[in-house]
Amino acid sequence: MSASDHAAKSYADVGLETAVASASPHQLILLLFDGALLAIAKATNAMAQGQIAEKGEAISKAIEIITSGLGGSLDFTAGDMLAERLAALYDYMGKRLIHANIHNDPAALKEVSFLLGELKSAWEAIGGDPAVVGGRVAA
């Protein structure tokens, strides 16, 4: 890594830390969606270039964000089925990412990216709802 690459990464890390520190709970979920989508994009690029280690690292990061980050934000106390359905969807996405990694399947990466994009769009649409902005809601 060159000095300029290292400086750019450090700058990006500080920017991310600042964004996280000042983010509302709603914005934190959006950051998780962005992180997972970025990791999948990196995995797609690495897969296309035959970079096996980088592909695996990016897919592992996406799985961690989806299952621990997004899955960990689910509120199962609301009494409805939304959190359970989202948990099942996140589990499915994790399985599809594992499949993509094992079988070098770009279609599986594209599928998960599409699903995350749809969920992110829905999450953005409810951003102004005070019931969502103030606390944990199934994400």
Side-chain angles (χ1 to χ4, degrees):
M1 181 181 292
S2 71
S4 62
D5 289 342
H6 182 68
K9 183 180 180 334
S10 295
Y11 179 78
D13 290 346
V14 168
L16 179 60
E17 288 174 17
T18 302
V20 168
S22 64
S24 69
H26 180 76
Q27 291 167 327
L28 288 173
I29 299 299
L30 288 174
L31 289 172
L32 289 171
F33 280 122
D34 287 341
L37 288 165
L38 179 60
I40 293 170
K42 287 180 179 180
T44 301
N45 186 45
M47 186 182 289
Q49 295 182 15
Q51 299 171 332
I52 297 167
E54 292 84 354
K55 174 197 70 170
E57 289 173 15
I59 288 175
S60 293
K61 184 173 184 175
I63 291 169
E64 181 70 19
I65 292 169
I66 293 167
T67 60
S68 296
L70 293 170
S73 72
L74 296 174
D75 182 359
F76 293 94
T77 64
D80 60 20
M81 298 293 291
L82 180 58
E84 291 174 21
R85 289 180 180 157
L86 285 170
L89 182 58
Y90 294 151
D91 183 57
Y92 171 78
M93 288 181 198
K95 289 176 182 174
R96 291 298 289 155
L97 290 171
I98 291 169
H99 169 86
N101 194 24
I102 292 170
H103 300 286
N104 282 321
D105 185 356
L109 293 176
K110 186 175 180 180
E111 175 188 5
V112 174
S113 184
F114 172 79
L115 292 169
L116 284 171
E118 291 293 304
L119 290 173
K120 181 184 176 199
S121 294
W123 191 247
E124 288 171 331
I126 62 172
D129 186 341
V132 174
V133 176
R136 286 173 50 124
V137 172

